Amino acid sequence: MRRPPQGEAYGRIECPEGELSFYVVSDGSANPYRVRIRPPSQINLGALKEMCEGHKIQDIVIILGSINLTMADLDR
Protein backbone atom coordinates (compact mmCIF):
# COMPACT_ATOMS: atom_id res chain seq x y z
CA MET A 1 0.00 0.00 0.00
CA ARG A 2 1.39 3.39 -1.02
CA ARG A 3 1.44 6.06 1.61
CA PRO A 4 0.99 9.72 0.69
CA PRO A 5 3.88 12.08 1.38
CA GLN A 6 3.79 14.23 4.48
CA GLY A 7 2.35 17.68 3.84
CA GLU A 8 -0.86 19.44 2.87
CA ALA A 9 -2.85 19.87 -0.31
CA TYR A 10 -5.70 22.13 -1.40
CA GLY A 11 -7.87 21.46 -4.42
CA ARG A 12 -11.04 22.93 -5.80
CA ILE A 13 -13.44 22.18 -8.59
CA GLU A 14 -16.29 24.08 -10.15
CA CYS A 15 -19.64 22.36 -9.75
CA PRO A 16 -23.14 23.50 -10.77
CA GLU A 17 -23.80 25.26 -7.44
CA GLY A 18 -20.38 26.91 -7.09
CA GLU A 19 -16.88 26.04 -5.93
CA LEU A 20 -16.30 22.79 -4.04
CA SER A 21 -12.98 22.79 -2.18
CA PHE A 22 -10.94 20.15 -0.39
CA TYR A 23 -8.11 20.58 2.13
CA VAL A 24 -6.10 17.51 3.19
CA VAL A 25 -3.22 17.29 5.66
CA SER A 26 -1.08 14.14 5.70
CA ASP A 27 1.32 13.04 8.39
CA GLY A 28 2.67 10.28 6.15
CA SER A 29 0.44 7.52 7.53
CA ALA A 30 -2.17 5.59 5.56
CA ASN A 31 -5.01 7.84 6.79
CA PRO A 32 -5.12 11.63 6.47
CA TYR A 33 -4.42 13.67 9.59
CA ARG A 34 -7.11 16.21 8.66
CA VAL A 35 -9.67 16.54 5.87
CA ARG A 36 -11.85 19.61 5.34
CA ILE A 37 -14.49 19.77 2.61
CA ARG A 38 -16.12 23.14 1.95
CA PRO A 39 -19.31 22.77 -0.05
CA PRO A 40 -20.64 25.55 -2.28
CA SER A 41 -23.78 25.94 -0.17
CA GLN A 42 -21.66 27.05 2.78
CA ILE A 43 -19.99 29.73 0.68
CA ASN A 44 -23.31 30.88 -0.82
CA LEU A 45 -24.98 31.05 2.60
CA GLY A 46 -22.31 33.49 3.76
CA ALA A 47 -23.48 36.03 1.18
CA LEU A 48 -27.19 35.65 2.01
CA LYS A 49 -27.31 38.68 4.32
CA GLU A 50 -26.06 41.03 1.62
CA MET A 51 -28.42 39.50 -0.95
CA CYS A 52 -31.47 40.04 1.28
CA GLU A 53 -30.77 43.64 2.32
CA GLY A 54 -33.32 46.07 0.93
CA HIS A 55 -35.80 43.35 -0.14
CA LYS A 56 -39.14 42.33 1.32
CA ILE A 57 -39.52 39.19 3.45
CA GLN A 58 -41.43 37.37 0.71
CA ASP A 59 -38.47 37.92 -1.65
CA ILE A 60 -36.22 35.77 0.55
CA VAL A 61 -37.84 32.60 -0.84
CA ILE A 62 -36.85 33.63 -4.37
CA ILE A 63 -33.33 34.61 -3.25
CA LEU A 64 -32.83 31.24 -1.53
CA GLY A 65 -34.04 29.48 -4.67
CA SER A 66 -31.63 31.44 -6.84
CA ILE A 67 -28.54 30.31 -4.92
CA ASN A 68 -29.81 26.70 -4.71
CA LEU A 69 -28.88 25.93 -1.10
CA THR A 70 -28.56 22.28 -0.15
CA MET A 71 -29.18 22.01 3.57
CA ALA A 72 -27.48 18.60 3.76
CA ASP A 73 -24.22 20.34 2.78
CA LEU A 74 -24.56 22.72 5.71
CA ASP A 75 -24.93 19.97 8.35
CA ARG A 76 -21.22 19.39 9.05
Side-chain angles (χ1 to χ4, degrees):
M1 175 181 205
R2 275 184 77 192
R3 295 183 183 267
Q6 188 173 2
E8 57 187 65
Y10 177 79
R12 61 183 189 218
I13 59 171
E14 188 68 30
C15 64
E17 289 135 2
E19 183 178 88
L20 176 63
S21 58
F22 300 89
Y23 176 69
V24 181
V25 178
S26 172
D27 58 2
S29 66
N31 296 323
Y33 173 74
R34 179 183 169 121
V35 175
R36 175 80 169 113
I37 302 170
R38 188 173 184 197
S41 293
Q42 188 175 18
I43 298 167
N44 295 342
L45 187 61
L48 186 61
K49 180 182 174 190
E50 287 81 16
M51 287 186 224
C52 292
E53 285 179 357
H55 293 282
K56 296 180 180 177
I57 292 177
Q58 60 265 30
D59 294 335
I60 295 175
V61 175
I62 303 299
I63 294 169
L64 283 171
S66 70
I67 59 175
N68 195 17
L69 285 179
T70 305
M71 290 306 195
D73 283 347
L74 300 174
D75 186 28
R76 294 181 183 259

